[in-house]
């Protein structure tokens, strides 16, 4: 199975499989880079893809993602990865496991030191990619093979994203306080609106009466 970049600009370059280019510097005021944001709802939960942001660098991308994706929802962490650094498989159908489409290859002798890669699974079309785990490998394709060994039985898996851990900006443990909402800002959280309570109350108040 082949991998291609999540960034269509990179895909159009028709580079050798798995290769990530060094993008040429953009002229000032041209356009920002695209980054993908992943969000953790609560401690111990897997990071889930929430959407893209456009920013001049990853630090600003992190701030934009924090503002856009953590204001209205509970959040305990955010990861940011440049779109061009994410490689992905072909898409399968909802009942398929893309790992089953991969050829089983004999492990090659490693001439390089393995490094960590993050693996994200899409379980169903229309849903979001969720962090499945981390593998050690020397390339994107080897990381995909390692992912099949470790996570391939957890199907169906419609699509897989692979990104080097060093290309992911992760919120630090010591910065946990940034996710705490102070009491006077509770109105910013969806839970403060008590929407379901209001819907339930409305239904009760407008419940049709049975004719006697």
């Amino acid at each position: 199975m082949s991998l291609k970049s999540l960034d269509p600009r990179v895909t159009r370059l028709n580079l050798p499989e798995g290769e990530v280019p060094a993008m040429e510097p953009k002229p000032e005021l041209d356009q920002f880079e695209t980054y993908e944001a992943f969000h953790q709802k609560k401690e111990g939960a897997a990071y889930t893809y929430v959407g893209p942001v456009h920013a001049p660098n990853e630090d600003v991308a992190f701030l934009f993602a924090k503002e856009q994706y953590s204001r209205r929802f509970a959040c305990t962490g955010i990861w940011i990865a440049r779109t061009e650094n994410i490689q992905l498989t072909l898409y399968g159908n909802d009942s398929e496991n893309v790992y089953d489409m991969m050829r089983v290859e004999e492990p090659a002798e490693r001439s390089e030191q393995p490094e960590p890669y993050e693996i994200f699974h899409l379980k169903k079309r229309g849903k979001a990619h969720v962090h499945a785990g981390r593998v050690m490998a020397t390339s994107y394709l080897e990381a995909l093979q390692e992912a099949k060994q470790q996570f391939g039985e957890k199907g169906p898996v419609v699509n897989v994203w692979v990104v080097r851990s060093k290309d992911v900006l992760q919120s630090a443990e010591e910065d946990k306080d940034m996710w705490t909402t102070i009491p006077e800002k509770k109105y910013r959280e969806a839970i403060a609106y008590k929407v379901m309570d209001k819907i339930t109350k409305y239904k009760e108040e407008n419940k049709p009466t049975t004719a006697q």
Side-chain angles (χ1 to χ4, degrees):
M1 174 177 289
S2 61
L3 285 167
K4 63 179 181 179
S5 175
L6 182 61
D7 190 334
R9 296 170 301 170
V10 175
T11 302
R12 286 196 292 267
L13 295 176
N14 293 318
L15 295 167
E17 191 170 291
E19 184 173 325
V20 178
M23 300 295 281
E24 293 181 8
K26 294 184 179 298
E28 257 186 81
L29 303 179
D30 178 13
Q31 59 178 311
F32 288 155
E33 288 288 347
T34 304
Y35 294 80
E36 308 302 331
F38 303 86
H39 157 280
Q40 185 186 49
K41 286 186 177 180
K42 60 181 180 180
E43 290 289 340
Y47 277 79
T48 300
Y49 177 65
V50 286
V53 293
H54 299 274
N57 58 55
E58 66 178 10
D59 291 320
V60 177
F62 183 91
L63 292 175
F64 285 173
K66 179 181 181 297
E67 182 66 15
Q68 186 166 343
Y69 298 118
S70 73
R71 288 187 63 194
R72 297 293 184 191
F73 305 97
C75 179
T76 57
I78 281 178
W79 288 359
I80 292 294
R82 186 174 289 177
T83 307
E84 69 183 34
N85 290 332
I86 299 175
Q87 298 280 304
L88 70 156
T89 65
L90 296 174
Y91 280 81
N93 295 320
D94 284 346
S95 60
E96 294 178 328
N97 188 332
V98 293
Y99 286 120
D100 294 338
M101 305 176 193
M102 292 172 53
R103 297 189 306 270
V104 178
E105 299 181 6
E106 292 295 325
E109 288 189 15
R110 287 174 170 168
S111 56
E112 302 174 20
Q113 192 68 20
E115 59 180 324
Y117 285 75
E118 307 298 338
I119 305 297
F120 295 87
H121 285 173
L122 179 66
K123 292 286 193 176
K124 186 177 182 181
R125 286 176 179 267
K127 299 296 184 180
H129 285 75
V130 178
H131 187 239
R134 179 176 296 172
V135 299
M136 299 297 293
T138 59
S139 69
Y140 281 92
L141 286 174
E142 185 178 303
L144 187 60
Q145 289 285 343
E146 290 290 335
K148 179 179 181 179
Q149 296 295 323
Q150 294 190 32
F151 316 122
E153 300 300 321
K154 299 178 181 179
V157 178
V158 175
N159 183 253
V160 180
W161 285 1
V162 184
V163 59
R164 286 182 298 190
S165 301
K166 70 179 183 181
D167 291 331
V168 180
L169 177 62
Q170 304 180 10
S171 51
E173 185 72 18
E174 57 267 24
D175 294 330
K176 272 185 177 179
D177 289 349
M178 78 167 71
W179 311 113
T180 303
T181 305
I182 57 179
E184 57 268 31
K185 296 292 184 181
K186 286 290 185 182
Y187 68 88
R188 290 173 53 164
E189 295 186 350
I191 193 172
Y193 293 97
K194 299 181 179 178
V195 175
M196 289 310 300
D197 291 348
K198 293 177 180 179
I199 291 174
T200 302
K201 182 180 178 183
Y202 175 82
K203 285 181 176 178
E204 287 295 326
E205 291 174 348
N206 293 273
K207 185 183 296 183
T209 55
T210 305
Q212 298 295 327

